[in-house]
Amino acid sequence: MEPSNRLIPPHLNAETYRMETSGTYTHAYLDFVRVHKDGHILVGCSELTGRYWNGGACILPNDQESDFQKTNFKRDINLASTTADGCFSGSSDKVILCEDTGAISIWSKSEDAWSTWKEDLSVAEHDGPALVIECLDSDRLYVSAGGDGNVKVWDIRDNMICLRNYNSAHSMQVNTIGVKPMSQKHFVTGSLDGFISVWDEHTNKPVYDVIENNCGVRCLLWIEENKLLFGDESGQLSLIDLRDSKNAIKLHEFPAPVHRIAFNPRSSNIAVCCDNQILSVFHIDGEKLNLVYERKAHQDCIRGLAWDESEPNVLHTVGWDGELKKHIINE
């Protein structure tokens, strides 16, 4: 009997589900990684035990990364649902997690002898899974989006009040948010409906739709004052200049949908992972990409990328093989 799709976390897929439900062991699918400026690493996971899904997160110092093994993955935070994204909030002792129940939850590290993590607040206002969250102002404002096509701006200092609720911002699920560099109010969203939209936290409607792509947008980044990078379902990595937004420049074509991109402003390097095991790193110069690093980095799909905050040539990745890996990227 085929499993019902409602049992499968939306950021996973039916084939992965069928491959793993035959046993009763627990398998951790690592979905995202974030790095704090003090060196701590946040790893989020979805776990399958038999036919039941749950999730959680692990927060560890940078110097313990080599000890991280999929066989003894220990969650610091346990969730009743799976999680597709999360981030630090100010210090490394506080994190915000997206949950596939539609909730956004805030967790902080206690000061007891066991340094346990406790949930401070959880608000479930997305009508579908919460899939992505990004920071506008680390002390106050965060923006989330999800499977319901809605985009929400949150004030975390005021009991997680939703300041802006952009209902039906997109007609399909929103996978990605990019915040304008050095801005606390401008951001862009990309959706499987093919649209990329620019938003101002102070307004009720999008400033404008940057582009209608010919297929779904999976990931994007706002890398300069007027430039956006985005990857789509067809495997295209493209560049948009907001001053001429109708003409996207195709930079590179991959053999699989582009899942995530990470830009390092200190080196102008771009890390890219698709729906496969290959990690690619390019140096961007204007409208040209030069490949500087490429290899099969994981035994299953790579899901998360994050540049190190202290070492500009270090990249951290996680994948559905349950591994957290560190890569040294030399020009």
Side-chain angles (χ1 to χ4, degrees):
M1 178 178 178
E2 284 295 304
S4 168
N5 284 334
R6 67 182 176 84
L7 299 176
I8 306 171
H11 57 282
L12 298 174
N13 56 58
E15 181 61 27
T16 299
Y17 183 94
R18 284 190 290 268
M19 290 171 61
E20 299 297 343
T21 49
S22 58
T24 58
Y25 59 91
T26 297
H27 183 94
Y29 298 88
L30 305 188
D31 289 305
F32 66 88
V33 58
R34 301 281 187 128
V35 180
H36 193 271
K37 60 185 178 181
D38 70 3
H40 279 78
I41 299 173
L42 168 64
V43 177
C45 78
S46 300
E47 289 190 347
L48 175 64
T49 303
R51 298 181 65 87
Y52 296 94
W53 288 96
N54 53 33
C58 175
I59 301 92
L60 67 156
N62 196 317
D63 58 7
Q64 294 182 15
E65 184 175 8
S66 59
D67 299 328
F68 187 97
Q69 297 290 334
K70 64 178 181 180
T71 53
N72 60 1
F73 177 74
K74 180 181 180 298
R75 290 180 290 182
D76 295 299
I77 296 172
N78 292 293
L79 300 174
S81 73
T82 53
T83 177
D85 199 17
C87 64
F88 288 104
S89 176
S91 75
S92 58
D93 291 336
K94 190 173 185 178
V95 300
I96 304 177
L97 299 177
C98 294
E99 300 183 34
D100 284 352
T101 59
I104 305 291
S105 56
I106 301 176
W107 297 76
S108 61
K109 189 176 182 180
S110 64
E111 297 180 357
D112 59 30
W114 298 275
S115 297
T116 55
W117 286 78
K118 61 182 179 64
E119 185 180 66
D120 297 329
L121 190 64
S122 179
V123 179
E125 292 193 15
H126 278 286
D127 295 325
L131 297 176
V132 58
I133 189 162
E134 291 293 345
C135 172
L136 291 174
D137 178 353
S138 63
D139 293 326
R140 177 172 169 247
L141 297 179
Y142 288 79
V143 56
S144 68
D148 54 4
N150 299 337
V151 178
K152 299 176 183 289
V153 178
W154 305 92
D155 185 343
I156 67 169
R157 293 188 308 182
D158 191 12
N159 292 323
M160 203 69 175
I161 295 296
C162 183
L163 298 178
R164 296 284 180 190
N165 183 15
Y166 302 105
N167 273 324
S168 300
H170 291 270
S171 61
M172 297 178 70
Q173 75 178 41
V174 183
N175 296 307
T176 181
I177 298 170
V179 177
K180 183 178 181 180
M182 309 303 292
S183 173
Q184 295 183 345
K185 64 177 184 177
H186 292 108
F187 60 94
V188 289
T189 54
S191 168
L192 291 184
D193 64 8
F195 282 94
I196 296 174
S197 301
V198 178
W199 306 84
D200 183 329
E201 183 268 320
H202 294 142
T203 62
N204 291 317
K205 296 181 179 180
V207 177
Y208 61 96
D209 291 324
V210 176
I211 192 173
E212 181 181 2
N213 196 40
N214 57 10
C215 63
V217 176
R218 290 277 293 267
C219 55
L220 59 77
L221 286 175
W222 198 326
I223 61 171
E224 294 179 11
E225 177 74 17
N226 295 301
K227 291 184 178 181
L228 306 177
L229 277 172
F230 75 92
D232 64 24
E233 290 274 278
S234 70
Q236 290 285 350
L237 179 65
S238 304
L239 177 70
I240 300 174
D241 190 320
L242 294 178
R243 295 164 296 189
D244 184 21
S245 61
K246 299 304 179 183
N247 296 307
I249 301 167
K250 295 181 179 180
L251 299 177
H252 192 82
E253 184 174 355
F254 294 90
V258 182
H259 178 72
R260 200 177 294 266
I261 50 180
F263 178 65
N264 187 342
R266 295 167 293 178
S267 63
S268 294
N269 283 343
I270 302 166
V272 183
C273 67
C274 301
D275 285 352
N276 56 28
Q277 302 95 348
I278 306 301
L279 170 64
S280 304
V281 180
F282 300 87
H283 180 78
I284 185 169
D285 184 8
E287 299 174 1
K288 296 182 179 180
L289 292 182
N290 296 309
L291 183 66
V292 297
Y293 182 96
E294 187 170 67
R295 66 181 54 185
K296 182 179 178 179
H298 288 260
Q299 297 303 309
D300 205 336
C301 292
I302 304 171
R303 299 290 88 181
L305 306 167
W307 289 99
D308 197 88
E309 293 289 332
S310 59
E311 299 181 74
N313 64 331
V314 172
L315 177 70
H316 306 272
T317 63
V318 296
W320 279 349
D321 58 358
E323 297 279 3
L324 166 65
K325 293 189 175 183
K326 178 179 179 179
H327 310 268
I328 308 299
I329 312 298
N330 295 316
E331 293 291 344

